[in-house]
Amino acid sequence: MKILLAPSERKTLGGNNPPISQESFIFPEIYEKRLKAVKKYDEFLKTTDDVKNFGDDKTSVFERPTKKAVLRYSGVAFDYLKYNELDNSSQEWIDKNVFIFSNLFGVISAGDFIPHYTLKQGAKPGFDIYSYHHNLFAPLLETINETEPFIDLRAKFYEKIYRPKNAITFKFIKNGKVVSHFAKAYRGKLTAIIAKHQPESIDDVLKIPFEGIKITEIQEKKGVKEIVCEVEE
């Protein structure tokens, strides 16, 4: 069972670990191909003055210190995940089983080590990096998804990189209306709760007592189950 999460544009600075290497990422067999996209981004930084989409740090990405991805990202979902407050078993499960769809690095695990970077969602660093990530990572994920269901908690945008066939998604309803922006918070909470229970199947997920979240309906389309939930807080 894998959880798919979107990254966040907000990130923490610094890091106490060495710059990226082959040991930094899952899927070491495609490390050199992953690096091709990162190198293009690194070269693009030297030529662009688009601070909004690419930041103002001209330091090579390959020279920046790293930290665990789940601690690098600091947006709403990661705030509500509260990784540092979880027990060791839950943290280890998250490190291995949560896949984050980085705009720059592609599909990484929560336990991978990455540097600080700026690449706003949808921005292209001189080439279509999302098509590149799709071609590189979709076949790897499809192979995993054949035997493991995915819990897809990403924003729809990241289906450009990969769309699972064997998965469950969640729709959050509050006071009769679909929750939009604050859905990120519920995704973070769900990830923490799921990590504590460490389910192995979709049936196991449905048995989890989600505090403050009541499952009201399950809809299925093309192998993907959408879990409709009424949130109580």
Side-chain angles (χ1 to χ4, degrees), residues 74-179:
S74 57
V76 174
F78 295 91
D79 281 348
Y80 280 82
L81 171 57
K82 297 181 180 179
Y83 177 85
N84 282 330
E85 298 180 17
L86 297 174
D87 59 67
N88 289 339
S89 176
S90 297
Q91 288 184 349
E92 289 175 4
W93 191 91
I94 286 171
D95 289 351
K96 295 178 182 178
N97 295 292
V98 172
F99 287 173
I100 302 171
F101 283 63
S102 164
N103 295 322
L104 176 57
F105 297 104
V107 182
I108 60 177
S109 75
D112 285 355
F113 285 83
I114 61 171
H116 183 275
Y117 68 92
T118 302
L119 178 56
K120 292 293 182 70
Q121 178 180 298
K124 296 178 181 178
F127 71 108
D128 189 347
I129 196 168
Y130 298 98
S131 292
Y132 186 87
H133 288 332
H134 169 76
N135 292 332
L136 183 57
F137 293 103
L140 295 171
L141 294 174
E142 284 176 359
T143 299
I144 297 172
N145 195 220
E146 286 177 1
T147 57
E148 291 188 61
F150 290 166
I151 303 172
D152 192 352
L153 301 180
R154 303 169 299 163
K156 288 288 186 182
F157 177 87
Y158 292 94
E159 290 182 355
K160 290 184 177 185
I161 298 176
Y162 171 69
R163 186 173 184 176
K165 297 175 182 176
N166 177 19
I168 60 175
T169 62
F170 284 81
K171 179 190 288 186
F172 304 103
I173 308 293
K174 187 173 184 179
N175 299 325
K177 297 181 180 180
V178 177
V179 178

